Amino acid sequence: MIQAKGYAAQSPTNDLAPWDFERRDVGAHDVQIEILYCGVCHSDLHQITNDWFEGIFPMVPGHEIVGRVIKVGDHVKNFKVDDLAGVGCMVDSCQQCDNCKQDLEQYCLEGNTQTYNNLDRSGVPTYGGYSNTIVVREEFVLHISDKVDLAATAPMLCAGITTYSPLRFWKVGKGHKLAVLGLGGLGHMGVKWGVAFGAEVTVLSTSPNKEQAAKDLGAHHFVVTSDKEQVKKVKGTFDFILDTVSAEHDMHLYLSMLKTNGTHICVGAPPKPMEVPVFDLLGGRKSVAGSGIGGIKETQEMLDFAAEHNIACDVEIIDIKNITASYERMVKGDVRYRFVIDMATL
Ligand SMILES: [Zn+2]
Ligand SMILES: [Zn+2]
């Protein structure tokens, strides 16, 4: 076994603290990565507090991993020692079902293996990126360009692909009016992709003081959703709403902003079910949809597109010792837009 160190929550009521643990040895098809940076996703906090479901403890969170390859198995074809590499939200899938065969491993019919808080296919708990090293089968490791900012690239592995994939699937681009609901880790990437794909982008937010930040990211318009006059002006105007909010919200309000045939795409995950007024859907043939991360092939395409177009996350680099304080700031929305742990501080 490989000795690893990281930060773990020992139970859903414990703060994260240093923890030594073991990773599997590098198998024939595995890549071992020395982790350099790991992004802090809002879902990390949801999971260590059992907000969504009962977790597996001790839990080492982190699924926005960038690092350097330090060892490869005998049958590894696409990676060599010293390559830059990334790992996102999943580390395995069945590789045989209809979805896996179509490069949709995130929707594996047997369930994909999550990077942490999951059991791998041999029944051993997976541990995430708040650690110094990780072993992952080669098919689930991404190539990272040596021209990019590594810290700013780490959150692309979750926040980046989660917003890229639906905009590509629904072919959002020139001639479309796209609204991005919420301006956090996901939302700020939604704005960047929307602009890069040629859409006319509006940020919908409850806080008027985010307008300048939205414009700085390239958004064309900004609407304060608590302002009745501003809301009235955008009624029936958007082709798509990319909904990144992971708390309960008023679907009637947002569905009223969609055009006929418009689609409301959920990528945030509120813990409780939300009410969707069906009358709002009937009156305009509207859809409510959801999308989860992206397949490995598409994640690589996203990373390559981002490197080519100089797109990355806006990040604040932190010392891992400050992780609990950073969670408190994240909950208040006091981060632009993603914390990234510098693993040299471990
Ligand atoms: Zn995430
Ligand atoms: Zn599968």
Side-chain angles (χ1 to χ4, degrees):
M1 300 294 266
I2 294 169
Q3 292 302 314
K5 54 182 187 167
Y7 263 50
Q10 297 296 326
S11 83
T13 50
N14 277 157
D15 282 345
L16 291 167
W19 186 55
D20 291 335
F21 61 104
E22 289 180 334
R23 302 257 192 210
R24 70 167 184 264
D25 284 322
V26 178
H29 299 276
D30 286 337
V31 171
Q32 185 186 0
I33 298 166
E34 176 197 6
I35 300 175
L36 300 174
Y37 295 99
C38 184
V40 178
C41 177
H42 209 288
S43 65
D44 298 343
L45 184 57
H46 282 300
Q47 294 193 66
I48 63 166
T49 54
N50 276 357
D51 214 4
W52 286 340
F53 51 85
E54 195 103 359
I56 300 166
F57 293 88
M59 191 189 300
V60 179
H63 59 203
E64 299 181 337
I65 298 165
V66 165
R68 197 173 284 284
V69 175
I70 52 173
K71 194 170 180 184
V72 295
D74 292 341
H75 294 288
V76 168
K77 292 186 195 76
N78 295 312
F79 290 89
K80 56 183 192 321
V81 170
D82 272 346
D83 281 356
L84 292 170
V87 178
C89 302
M90 55 183 173
V91 288
D92 206 354
S93 75
C94 85
Q95 303 269 292
Q96 313 203 335
C97 70
D98 284 351
N99 286 348
C100 283
K101 281 187 189 151
Q102 295 176 72
D103 297 305
L104 297 169
E105 303 91 349
Q106 77 274 36
Y107 305 132
C108 174
L109 296 173
E110 289 187 7
N112 68 63
T113 304
Q114 294 277 294
T115 303
Y116 69 90
N117 194 18
N118 208 186
L119 297 177
D120 71 16
R121 292 183 129 68
S122 62
V124 175
T126 55
Y127 300 115
Y130 295 12
S131 59
N132 62 334
T133 188
I134 191 167
V135 177
V136 179
R137 64 182 286 181
E138 137 172 76
E139 292 91 333
F140 287 80
V141 181
L142 287 307
H143 289 280
I144 306 285
S145 160
D146 56 10
K147 295 181 182 61
V148 302
D149 178 331
L150 296 182
T153 297
M156 306 287 279
L157 277 309
C158 170
I161 186 62
T162 298
T163 45
Y164 180 95
S165 181
L167 297 186
R168 284 306 203 203
F169 178 78
W170 276 280
K171 301 185 169 59
V172 176
K174 242 183 161 63
H176 286 140
K177 288 190 162 76
L178 167 71
V180 176
L181 175 53
L183 197 61
L186 292 173
H188 96 288
M189 287 312 299
V191 172
K192 289 190 187 197
W193 297 131
V195 171
F197 300 164
E200 188 179 328
V201 179
T202 301
V203 168
L204 305 175
S205 176
T206 49
S207 21
N209 55 14
K210 283 195 176 166
E211 178 160 6
Q212 192 52 50
K215 299 271 167 81
D216 291 346
L217 291 166
H220 305 96
H221 313 284
F222 185 84
V223 169
V224 181
T225 51
S226 54
D227 182 325
K228 285 204 170 80
E229 282 310 303
Q230 290 192 33
V231 167
K232 217 161 123 190
K233 278 190 203 143
V234 294
K235 262 201 161 139
T237 61
F238 300 122
D239 298 281
F240 300 95
I241 295 175
L242 185 70
D243 180 350
T244 71
V245 176
S246 63
E248 233 174 304
H249 47 286
D250 177 7
M251 289 296 284
H252 168 69
L253 173 69
Y254 300 109
L255 290 172
S256 75
M257 298 179 187
L258 281 178
K259 251 183 209 169
T260 301
N261 298 327
T263 306
H264 182 110
I265 308 162
C266 296
V267 292
K272 284 194 192 128
M274 288 193 298
E275 269 183 35
V276 176
V278 172
F279 277 108
D280 291 333
L281 303 177
L282 305 182
R285 200 163 46 198
K286 296 172 186 180
S287 307
V288 176
S291 177
I293 52 172
I296 294 296
K297 187 178 169 202
E298 189 176 45
T299 305
Q300 189 64 62
E301 176 196 304
M302 178 272 310
L303 289 166
D304 296 345
F305 181 92
E308 191 185 325
H309 294 84
N310 212 6
I311 294 172
C313 292
D314 292 8
V315 300
E316 181 178 331
I317 297 173
I318 59 166
D319 184 316
I320 197 163
K321 289 169 204 73
N322 299 329
I323 186 67
T324 301
S326 303
Y327 279 161
E328 283 160 18
R329 284 185 52 200
M330 179 173 70
V331 168
K332 286 188 260 173
D334 175 25
V335 52
R336 282 196 180 163
Y337 286 92
R338 208 58 149 186
F339 288 117
V340 172
I341 303 165
D342 178 355
M343 219 46 74
T345 63
L346 182 65

